[in-house]
Amino acid sequence: MGRTKRERRARRYRHGVNRKRLRTKQESTGKVTDAVLAVQKEWDEKKSYMANLATMGLAFDPNIAVKIPSAKERVVPIVAESARDVQSDSESDESEVDSTPVESEKSRVAEEVERLAKRPRPNCMGLPKSQIKLLTHYINKYGEDYAAMSRDSKNIYQDTPSQIRQKIKVFKSIPAYWDCRERPKPVVVGKGQLPFRRSKKEKTFGKKEVEWITYCLNRYGRNYQAMAKDVRNEFQDSAGDIRREIMRFRRNPTYWDAYKANNVAGVYLVNKAPEIAP
């Protein structure tokens, strides 16, 4: 009789598996906690598993230690139980036997395990790197304006202000993230300067572009409509395009300082381009 495909796959030897690591993983019992160490310290190798736990005040089977009554036991009349209790009390009085339970010497193990189980645990919650970066961006840009955060273009999952507030609350509750978050870099504003960051790479102009802009400034000043209608406008740039190019030309100190050096007291020199240092 032939084997199924699953049986043939199960009998196939996997050459890429590290057998030593696989055996260590299979034999591992997990991380050893403080409660396990407390039990291990009082363990007696000469006794059985159930006898060791009973000596320490621990339960082997929770169904026996905390038994849940069945439906038949729940419908037993209370009167029968009270009569049985009265009868047992009379028998105990006649026998006069001391039935005080003897505390085990190792019963403190149960108390130690209970104490370790009730102690507060450290917060081990983690967040994805993408979410940490997004929440840091929200906090640095909007502060506590959650409505503005929900309208941000980076909110690709369309989270509501309440959802973003809850995520930031979790982010702040983790000291490893909140204390080490990326803060916005301060903008150094000097006297007489505007508080904006200039791009690291300034736009460079070619020789023909410098001559064209210099010609327009010398002849038309700020009349961008007349510049657009000039016969030298080979690429048919609009008035708005020419205005933007001139603004970039003014913002670059290399070109603008050279241009002003060739113009004394605001007198434009027609058809003379500024000499730009190489």
Side-chain angles (χ1 to χ4, degrees):
M1 183 177 178
R3 297 189 181 92
T4 61
K5 187 176 181 180
R6 180 177 298 179
E7 291 177 350
R8 292 197 303 270
R9 189 186 300 115
R11 293 175 60 89
R12 189 177 300 168
Y13 185 82
R14 296 178 296 171
H15 296 273
V17 177
N18 190 334
R19 301 295 165 179
K20 183 177 180 180
R21 187 180 302 169
L22 181 63
R23 181 179 177 182
T24 304
K25 184 178 180 181
Q26 291 176 349
E27 294 179 352
S28 175
T29 57
K31 186 178 179 180
V32 179
T33 59
D34 296 338
V36 176
L37 293 175
V39 175
Q40 187 178 5
K41 186 178 179 181
E42 302 293 340
W43 192 266
D44 189 358
E45 296 292 344
K46 297 180 180 180
K47 295 182 180 180
S48 64
Y49 193 88
M50 296 181 64
N52 272 294
L53 294 180
T55 307
M56 299 179 191
L58 302 175
F60 175 76
D61 190 355
N63 295 322
I64 299 176
V66 188
K67 187 177 181 181
I68 300 175
S70 62
K72 184 176 181 180
E73 294 174 349
R74 286 197 297 268
V75 298
V76 173
I78 302 176
V79 179
E81 292 184 2
S82 60
R84 195 181 307 112
D85 294 340
V86 172
Q87 184 179 0
S88 61
D89 291 342
S90 60
E91 292 177 356
S92 62
D93 294 339
E94 293 176 358
S95 60
E96 295 181 357
V97 177
D98 187 9
S99 60
T100 304
V102 179
E103 294 186 0
S104 174
E105 297 178 356
K106 298 182 181 180
S107 59
R108 63 179 182 277
V109 177
E111 300 176 359
E112 180 68 15
V113 171
E114 186 176 359
R115 185 187 66 81
L116 294 173
K118 289 183 178 180
R119 65 179 180 178
R121 298 181 180 179
N123 188 2
C124 301
M125 182 184 296
L127 296 175
K129 292 183 179 180
S130 58
Q131 190 170 353
I132 294 172
K133 187 176 180 180
L134 180 62
L135 296 178
T136 306
H137 163 73
Y138 286 159
I139 295 172
N140 293 339
K141 188 173 183 179
Y142 302 105
E144 296 183 357
D145 190 357
Y146 303 106
M149 296 177 188
S150 63
R151 295 191 297 268
D152 193 274
S153 59
K154 293 187 178 182
N155 185 16
I156 58 176
Y157 296 108
Q158 297 297 308
D159 293 334
T160 62
S162 300
Q163 292 173 336
I164 297 175
R165 185 188 298 109
Q166 185 63 26
K167 289 182 179 180
I168 291 178
K169 183 179 179 181
V170 175
F171 178 75
K172 290 182 177 180
S173 65
I174 304 175
Y177 296 149
W178 179 246
D179 297 340
C180 303
R181 70 186 185 280
E182 182 181 355
R183 293 172 174 81
K185 297 180 180 179
V187 182
V188 180
V189 181
K191 186 176 181 180
Q193 297 180 358
L194 296 176
F196 69 92
R197 292 190 181 94
R198 192 184 302 275
S199 59
K200 295 182 179 179
K201 186 176 181 181
E202 298 285 356
K203 177 178 173 55
T204 57
F205 296 89
K207 184 177 180 181
K208 291 185 177 180
E209 291 178 325
V210 173
E211 293 177 354
W212 162 247
I213 294 174
T214 305
Y215 164 78
C216 292
L217 290 174
N218 292 342
R219 181 160 187 172
Y220 300 106
R222 296 186 178 181
N223 190 356
Y224 305 108
Q225 296 292 339
M227 296 178 190
K229 296 177 182 178
D230 194 277
V231 293
R232 295 190 180 184
N233 187 8
E234 300 177 358
F235 297 101
Q236 297 297 317
D237 294 335
S238 63
D241 295 338
I242 296 175
R243 180 178 178 276
R244 281 190 291 271
E245 290 297 322
I246 292 177
M247 290 299 295
R248 292 175 186 151
F249 183 83
R250 287 172 177 268
R251 289 174 184 170
N252 196 317
T254 305
Y255 298 103
W256 187 242
D257 294 344
Y259 174 80
K260 290 190 297 182
N262 296 326
N263 292 270
V264 182
V267 179
Y268 294 113
L269 304 178
V270 182
N271 297 333
K272 185 177 181 180
E275 296 180 2
I276 308 298

